[in-house]
Structure formats: structure tokens, C-alpha cells
Amino acid sequence: MSDKRILDIIASPADLKLLSNEELSILAGEIRHEIVTTTSKTGGHVASSLGAVEIILALHSLLDCPKDKIVFDVGHQAYAHKLVTGRLKDFGTLRTYGGLSGFPKPSESPYDVHYSGHASDSLSVALGLAEARDLAGTDQKVVALIGDAALSGGMAFEALNNIGQAQTPMVIILNDNEMSISHNVGALMKHLGYMRASSQYRQARDNVQEHLESSGPVGKAITNFGRSMKESMKQFVIPHSMIFEQLGIVCTAPIDGHNIAQLRETLRAVLNADGPVLMHVVTRKGQGYMPAVRNPEKFHGIAPYNIATGEVIKSGKPSAPKYTSVFGKALVAEAENNADIVAITAAMKGGTGLDEFAEKFPERFVDTGICEEHAVGFAGGLAANGKKPVVALYSTFMQRAVDQMIINVALPKLDVVFAIDRAGIVGADGPTHHGVFDLVYARMVPNMRVLAPSNEAELVHALHTALAMGGPFAIRYPRGEGEGVPLPEAADVLPEGKGRVVREGDDVAILAFGRMVGQALGAADTLAEQGVSARVVDMRWVKPLDVQAIQAAAETKLVVTVEEGVIAGGAGEGVLGEMARMGLHTPALSLGIQDAFVTQGGVGQLLHEQGLDAEGIAASVQERYRAL
């Protein structure tokens, strides 16, 4: 018997058209094995990708990609898509520097339609593709694959409204697995739960469809059904009809997302419709790998792990506490002494370190779902009525709520703390997830104060300071382990706009922000060996800046700023602006993320590439200093 897998002979999606349903089911198992084997070494988004295998195989077996378009929402469920679109031989490089992206990436493959990475944007992109097709008069099929959690995002609702109005042919596959990063919350999730469980709906919906299908071709019947959604008879027959149908989008009854035959049969029908159709597919995150089934949140995004146990492989060296964990514990301590504190997150309770807070203060914890704009506006309302909300979001996701930060919080000077997690380079998730823009969007807002703690002890002080001072406040801190410094027994209020000198020096002054303080100290050691005396200042405050520290730095021969964010509009440019305002003419050098998106890879590797590790900082300073 040959050990050859079906997967090994799939050169392109066209090969799937030659396979029977039974063979596609075998292929699904092979793909799951490949995903688990590879991600156990590279880490990755395991549970989501395992849950969507049959959906992707059914799609590619019926569509003609890349002419037809599959638009992934977020894209962390796309590993099977990569494996059947010619990337099997490179799959072992997943999420590594120079290897395959963990998300769809158009520059990587013509089968990838757009740069996925953030939730709730697929429907807008898909509608744009469909409208462009209509304008060009072509016959492309357009399918958007979106999870139930992403569907709760505001952008998705805006798109649904437009799709219902446009009535252009496109298929929305709702991958309903009852999970986002954390367990789903909200009225829409309850509505979907009703749709999964209600035999009344299923029977009524099926009866209506059977009647319509008997009067003509399937495609025509489905379309006519969609166009009659607003009729009163529809409400009489299906009194609990889905919200999508009220918008003019036909919705199928829930089907088994791991049944290839059922998926393909339904897809054949909906792909022939001449209006928008939502195909409701129920799947299970982690399907085929029990550790991921038992703990889908852990396997949403996981480091390399032991296949047999599902446990993350430890490095063997003692580890410092992670910034996220330190923040979570510090917030619990603050909340024990302040009953007005309310913690808010957007579908990432565990990811932002709020598990313990939610357990201890359930009445003061709010998970809004994947709705960052709402989370910040909601926080503004809480603050306007006397509470002290702390909004914990990843930097890359906080970007979506900048308008609410400005209008709903900063303009009225409300007492809201933004705990901006995953600030700076985050590693293998790549450009859609690096938190390199928050220094810009936070410091540009009037009334906002911004702290960038350099270690985990400073983070404890920063949170206490933000809560004590009040007003709009942002604290940004990186992903991963801290510096290993002892945590304070009691938190201090940091003097506003004052940094701290952590190393004296006379030749150059390095003004470092956040995690870059440690790298600056390493650079100072190297420079000392080369005969250059470098002062290092932990600036602490991004806004207001430490003016006295800047004046003192200008007394050296070179002022250097180092930040783990984009240079354009960042903290370094803020320092240069202060120098110009004060009439200081000392030569200056700003180091940070260049005007380009940062690829995926290890954090240390990427910092080195950007010249932001100790070696790179020392080399840049030395080059500029010698040129003076």
C-alpha cells in the first residue's frame, strides 16, 4: 500500500474538482494532520484553521480560483487554503522570517485576495469586488468567509446594510463556531444560538424553501425568496426570521460545516443565485485535534507545542512575568481599592490579562465583542456618569477606535484609561498585528497623556498614575515577558512629564521610550567600549515630554531618540519639535520604525532588522557621532 497522500498530489484547487466527497473527506484529515504537525513547530492559529477545513475544500472544489474570489475575514482560518493553493512545500516556513505568512497575503499568492488580519472587513471587500465585477460585466463568483464573532463588528453591519441594498450576487459563509478569541458575547450571538437550536425555524424555513424550489430553478427560487423578505407573509410564516433576511439577504438554515457532501450541495445552489445569500455553517474550533477542541481559546494563537499533550514547549530558562499578566494583576489590586473601576475589552479577555478581574468583579467587567469603536464610546459614557473605565485593547486593534478616542473621550476630557497591549513589534503575526502606530495616534490627541513604561515595575506605577491623575490616559506596553525586575509592593504616582536618568554620559544622550530603554543601555555599553560616553534616559512620558531632560540632552554633542514605533509623527519627532521650540540646535538622530510595513519573524530578529536592538542603536549612534 502506498503512503502517498492525496494532499501530496494537489498542485492547485483545480485538482479538487476530480475528487469525490469521500476523497475530499480523506483529504480534510490529511490537511488537519499537516496543520497540527507544522504548527507544533512554528506555532500559529490552530483552532480556527482546523475548524474551517471542509468549508475551504468545498469552496475550492466548486469555484474557479483565482478568477473567482474567496475573501477571508481575519484570515487565521486560511491554512487549508494555503495547502491546496500550491504552498504545501513551503508550509513548514509558516510565520517565520521570509516564510509563509500566517494570513492571506496577495504578494504571496494570486489566490489570496486581500491582506487579512483584522476582523469584520471581509464583507466590505467582497461587496467591492462584486460591484467591480458587475461594472466590468464579468462572471466572477465572490464569496466572503466570516466568523460569527467578526460578524458582530460594526464594519460588518455597515456592509450588510449595503449588501442588502445593492442586491448584487455574492455569497457570505457564516462560520458559526461560537468563539472569537474569547467566548462570544452579545445579542447577535444569542440570536445565532436560537437559529442553531430552533426546530421551529428550521422546519418553517425548509418548508418555505421547498415550496419555492418546486416552482422553478433553485437559483431563481432563492433569489425570489430574498426579494420577498420584507413582505408580511414572511413574518407570518417565520416569525423569528434571521436579521439578515430582514436586510434582504437570503439565509440558509444552519448546516453541518464538517459534512463535505452537505456543504457542496448547498454551495452549488447559493452560488447560482442572482442576489446575496448568507450560508449559515456550524463548525467546531479545533476539529480533529482534541487538545484544541477542549481549549480553543488557548489554541486560537499558540506557540510551538507538544502534539501529544497540547502543552506549550517551554524554553527551559527562568521566565519573567509577561506584561499582560502584570497589568491584569495590577488592575485587580487597583479595583480592590476603587469600586468605580470598570474593565472593558473587545473579545479578548484572556489576551489582555483580564481573566482574574472578570472572575473577581464580574459586575464591573464588560466584553463588548469585536467592537472596538463601541468599547471606547461605551467607556466614554461610563466616565461621563462617574465611573473609571479601563479599556484594554491590542495596539493594532485600538487603531479602529481613534475617532471615538478623540470625540467621545478626549474632547470632553473624560476619565478613561487606555491600556494598549502588544505595542511595538509583536513577531510572527506580521504587519497586520505589529503595534507600531499607537505612539502617533495617542500623542496627537489634545488632552491625552501617554506613558510608555520601560519594564513591568514601571507598568504597575504607570497604571496607578493614570488612575490617580484622571482624564484621558494611554499606557502602551509590549507583548511577552518583562525585564525580570522586582515588582513594587506599593505603586507610586509618577511625576507628570518627568523621566529618569538610568545611565550618565557626556558625549551623546539617548532618550529612550518604553522597551527601548533596555536596548539603549546595551548600546551604551557598546559605545563605551568604542570610546563614546552615552547618557541613557528612560523618558517614561510620551506626552507631556520631559522638557528638562531634552534641555540637558542638548548639552551633549548628539541627541538620540529611540522608540518602538513609526518615526513619522512619533515620540522622536515630538522631541525634535520641543528642541526647535526652545531654540536648541544640537544635532539629533531619531531611531524607530522606518516608513515601511514590518514583515513577520521573531521579535529580536525584527528589532535587529530595524536597527532597534543594542547593536543597531550603537552602530547608528556611532556613525552619526563620528560624522559630527
Side-chain angles (χ1 to χ4, degrees):
M1 180 179 291
S2 172
D3 292 331
K4 193 76 169 179
R5 303 178 300 179
I6 297 175
L7 179 59
D8 295 320
I9 59 174
I10 302 299
S12 76
D15 295 330
L16 300 181
K17 300 180 187 301
L18 305 175
L19 302 180
S20 66
N21 290 336
E22 291 75 17
E23 289 168 329
L24 287 170
S25 294
I26 294 171
L27 176 60
E30 295 175 351
I31 286 174
R32 287 193 169 92
H33 182 268
E34 185 72 27
I35 290 172
V36 171
T37 301
T38 297
T39 57
S40 70
K41 302 181 181 70
T42 67
H45 292 95
V46 180
S48 300
S49 278
L50 291 176
V53 174
E54 284 87 358
I55 295 175
I56 290 169
L57 291 182
L59 280 170
H60 275 303
S61 71
L62 297 176
L63 294 173
D64 182 18
C65 296
K67 185 191 82 168
D68 294 333
K69 307 298 181 185
I70 303 174
V71 182
F72 287 90
D73 203 285
V74 185
H76 55 222
Q77 76 279 56
Y79 292 173
H81 165 76
K82 288 178 180 282
L83 286 168
V84 299
T85 53
R87 286 171 273 185
L88 172 61
K89 64 182 178 62
D90 296 321
F91 198 64
T93 68
L94 187 71
R95 292 164 45 88
T96 62
Y97 185 82
L100 291 182
S101 170
F103 300 92
K105 184 178 180 182
S107 61
E108 181 180 289
S109 170
Y111 293 97
D112 293 357
V113 176
H114 80 132
Y115 286 91
S116 301
H118 287 189
S120 309
D121 65 351
S122 63
L123 303 188
S124 299
V125 173
L127 179 59
L129 290 165
E131 291 283 7
R133 171 205 61 206
D134 294 347
L135 291 169
T138 59
D139 62 349
Q140 292 173 325
K141 304 292 187 183
V142 177
V143 179
L145 176 57
I146 184 169
D148 50 336
L151 194 65
S152 70
M155 187 175 179
F157 271 92
E158 293 170 15
L160 286 170
N161 182 57
N162 198 178
I163 290 167
Q165 179 185 42
Q167 284 297 302
T168 188
M170 61 179 288
V171 175
I172 301 166
I173 296 182
L174 171 58
N175 181 13
D176 180 2
N177 55 35
E178 306 180 73
M179 284 286 293
S180 52
I181 296 176
S182 299
H183 281 283
N184 289 337
V185 296
L188 179 61
M189 297 307 108
K190 291 180 181 178
H191 184 63
L192 292 177
Y194 166 80
M195 299 312 304
R196 287 189 295 269
S198 173
S199 59
Q200 176 190 6
Y201 171 80
R202 294 173 66 94
Q203 183 176 356
R205 181 68 173 86
D206 291 345
N207 289 342
V208 171
Q209 279 196 288
E210 287 174 12
H211 172 73
L212 289 169
E213 289 168 5
S214 67
S215 64
V218 172
K220 178 182 177 182
I222 291 177
T223 302
N224 290 339
F225 182 74
R227 290 174 177 168
S228 68
M229 285 306 104
K230 295 181 181 179
E231 297 177 8
S232 60
M233 181 58 71
K234 173 64 170 58
Q235 293 302 312
F236 174 77
V237 175
I238 308 177
H240 298 290
S241 66
M242 293 198 67
I243 186 173
F244 316 108
E245 295 180 337
Q246 301 302 308
L247 293 171
I249 302 169
V250 175
C251 181
T252 72
I255 65 171
D256 182 357
H258 302 300
N259 184 318
I260 284 282
Q262 191 175 12
L263 283 168
R264 297 181 80 202
E265 179 183 4
T266 307
L267 268 171
R268 284 191 184 95
V270 300
L271 286 170
N272 288 324
D274 60 3
V277 181
L278 184 143
M279 184 170 150
H280 188 174
V281 179
V282 179
T283 63
R284 182 167 68 164
K285 270 196 170 184
Q287 175 76 4
Y289 180 54
M290 283 311 299
V293 170
R294 286 193 294 264
N295 196 341
E297 185 172 350
K298 173 183 176 181
F299 278 86
H300 171 79
I302 191 170
Y305 57 93
N306 182 297
I307 294 177
T309 65
E311 294 301 315
V312 173
I313 298 172
K314 304 295 184 181
S315 64
K317 62 180 181 180
S319 59
K322 294 183 178 180
Y323 282 97
T324 298
S325 174
V326 170
F327 161 75
K329 292 183 181 302
L331 186 60
V332 167
E334 295 285 349
E336 287 172 343
N337 297 314
N338 188 337
D340 287 331
I341 291 175
V342 179
I344 304 168
T345 191
M348 49 188 67
K349 178 177 65 174
T352 55
L354 293 178
D355 284 327
E356 185 179 351
F357 188 102
E359 183 178 343
K360 288 193 173 184
F361 310 106
E363 72 286 355
R364 290 195 273 152
F365 170 76
V366 180
D367 183 346
T368 64
I370 302 181
C371 305
E372 291 83 2
E373 300 97 324
H374 164 61
V376 175
F378 170 67
L382 283 170
N385 215 14
K387 298 304 177 182
K388 295 180 75 69
V390 177
V391 182
L393 298 172
Y394 293 2
S395 171
T396 187
F397 301 143
M398 183 66 224
Q399 292 162 192
R400 306 192 212 183
V402 171
D403 182 62
Q404 288 72 26
M405 173 189 278
I406 296 169
I407 303 301
N408 301 123
V409 174
L411 179 60
K413 299 182 182 179
L414 292 174
D415 191 1
V416 176
V417 176
F418 297 98
I420 303 178
D421 200 334
R422 271 51 167 192
I425 300 295
V426 298
D429 282 340
T432 57
H433 283 65
H434 293 311
V436 296
F437 303 106
D438 58 85
L439 287 176
V440 179
Y441 65 67
R443 67 176 291 269
M444 74 179 184
V445 180
N447 298 327
M448 184 70 67
R449 286 178 285 193
V450 185
L451 272 166
S454 58
N455 57 49
E456 57 269 45
E458 287 283 304
L459 173 56
V460 174
H461 296 312
L463 178 61
H464 184 69
T465 300
L467 290 167
M469 288 187 176
F473 223 113
I475 308 167
R476 60 108 62 177
Y477 46 95
R479 179 183 189 181
E481 295 178 3
E483 303 297 318
V485 302
L487 296 176
E489 293 185 7
D492 298 327
V493 175
L494 302 174
E496 184 171 1
K498 298 296 180 184
R500 60 186 183 121
V501 177
V502 292
R503 180 185 177 118
E504 293 288 356
D506 301 319
D507 295 326
V508 301
I510 304 177
L511 309 182
F513 296 86
R515 180 164 59 176
M516 291 295 95
V517 172
Q519 301 293 345
L521 286 168
D525 289 339
T526 299
L527 289 167
E529 295 172 359
Q530 299 169 348
V532 179
S533 174
R535 178 189 308 161
V536 178
V537 181
D538 176 359
M539 291 295 285
R540 278 180 169 161
W541 294 84
V542 178
K543 185 180 182 181
L545 288 164
D546 187 339
V547 175
Q548 291 181 343
I550 295 171
Q551 289 176 320
E555 296 173 1
T556 67
K557 299 175 184 176
L558 176 65
V559 176
V560 182
T561 64
V562 188
E563 61 194 298
E564 195 178 354
V566 293
I567 295 174
E573 289 195 356
V575 170
L576 295 179
E578 287 293 338
M579 291 177 66
R581 184 181 63 80
M582 292 184 287
L584 304 174
H585 302 291
T586 306
L589 172 66
S590 293
L591 300 178
I593 304 298
Q594 300 300 316
D595 192 23
F597 289 102
V598 180
T599 187
Q600 69 205 35
V603 172
Q605 186 177 27
L606 296 177
L607 289 176
H608 179 74
E609 183 184 71
Q610 293 292 319
L612 294 177
D613 60 355
E615 179 185 348
I617 294 169
S620 295
V621 172
Q622 182 68 273
E623 180 182 4
R624 184 63 183 274
Y625 181 76
R626 296 303 181 195
L628 295 177

